[in-house]
Amino acid sequence: MQQTAPARDKWGSKVGFVLAAAGSAIGLGNIWRFPYVTGENGGAAFVLIYIFFVVIIGTPVMISEITIGRRAEKNPVGAFRHIVPGSAWWLFGILCVVTGIGILSYYSVIAGWTLGYFFKTLGGSFAQITTPDASNRMFEQFVANPQIVIGLLLIFITLTMIVVMGGVSSGIERWAKILMPILFLLLILLTLRSVTLPGAGKGLQFYLKPDFSVINAGTIGRALGQAMFSLSLGMGAMITYGSYISRRENIVISAGYVCLFDTLIAIVAGLMIFPALFAMGMDPQGGPGLVFIVLPTIFAKMPGGDFFGAGFFLLLTVAALTSTISLLEVAVAYLVDERKWQRRRAAVTMGALALVLGVPSALSFGGISFLTELPLLGIGFLDLANIVLGNYSLTLGALLISLFVGYRWGVARVREEIEQHDNVFYFRPLFAVLIRYVCPVAILCIFVYIVLTGNYF
Ligand code: PHE
């Protein structure tokens, strides 16, 4: 075939997409957010609801997003303009771009913390952590220091910009292939240490024995939002990544792998945190600081704890980086495809914007008291961003995707796109029911339930 325009970038290998998409999905959402949100929402019952949502809403929405992206070979705004020209659906693409930059802004703050904790472990700081109180104090001092947290935020966003400037390179794919398995092995090792601590049983019970009496509208909404966040859905990351995928790949299988890996890592992360947490007599409702306070207490109780601690935080930083790349890539692909910007300029501009927007989040842990506890809401700025953008905006995005595929574009189009090159659309009838009825109805009911009960946070 003759190529008139320069070819758009594509993933370098057949598994490239799964690796990159798993890289996007697996990140702080699994290891930082999942345990603390589970802790705040009652443990095992929350975990079950979370898994249920991954299966009935996450997987079909994942398949839909990838298919839309591959059909259009474009960023979210361009994709909707391309497949339903003349309609207002491109506005949803704009929402994706805005949500992506918003999430990037606060996500990079936490990623900066992981980087900071990596340096701390290298410096042997955890040797002094003998009690949970000491760990708590160390964390509180660390996050309340404006120069440090903003400096780390700057470093982290710069790293993200550098990778995104390079384009859809096989670099990300190659590194993800090597580093992700190492992260998983370390996670298992720490889990083994955690579950064998004296007193770990109570944590296992909290994490594995459901108590449904703690469930309310807010909890259910958080479980759904967490599923969307962890799978990188509802803001066009998978549309954008899907746009670089080869037509030979079976989207259903790829999506299935991404959902499976992502969920496994989150579940193991919980097994690592809760037994240790209860063994130390700490409070599961510790909020965003949870893993940063619990983990050092495990490292302190391990031979070679500094070594494992440093390795763990470094890998976590890398896992966060493969996620922030996808957050930035959505806005960059939009500017490059639609506005004909140079990739470099787009990456630097959007990165700078995320940096500025990230400052209030960075200062919301004691740096500035107004941001630490917002008037009327009683929660911090980062918490608020994490709920509004990382929970509700993504859930709304998933609702819009299911309505778009179910009623505007049509399951028949999805089938056409998936069944190329002899690929089979596994579970097609089930997909049709889920995307047309189950996803929109479930999401709408949850929204209504939350509004009626006022359980927004
Ligand atoms: N899924 C990522 C994580 O779990 C975060 C993310 C959300 C990335 C939305 C892209 C889009 O860390």
Side-chain angles (χ1 to χ4, degrees), residues 63 250 252-253 418-419 423-431:
I63 294 172
N250 189 316
V252 182
I253 296 182
I418 290 181
E419 291 187 343
N423 277 314
V424 180
F425 189 171
Y426 299 103
F427 305 110
R428 182 166 49 84
L430 177 64
F431 172 84

Side-chain angles (χ1 to χ4, degrees), residues 23-30 103 107 226 228-233 235 237 262 319-320 323-324 326-327 394:
S24 166
I26 298 166
L28 298 176
N30 308 59
I103 295 181
Y107 193 99
Q226 173 61 25
M228 299 304 110
F229 184 91
S230 190
L231 295 169
S232 305
L233 295 175
M235 50 68 69
D262 186 70
S323 299
T324 51
S326 70
L327 287 162
L394 297 183

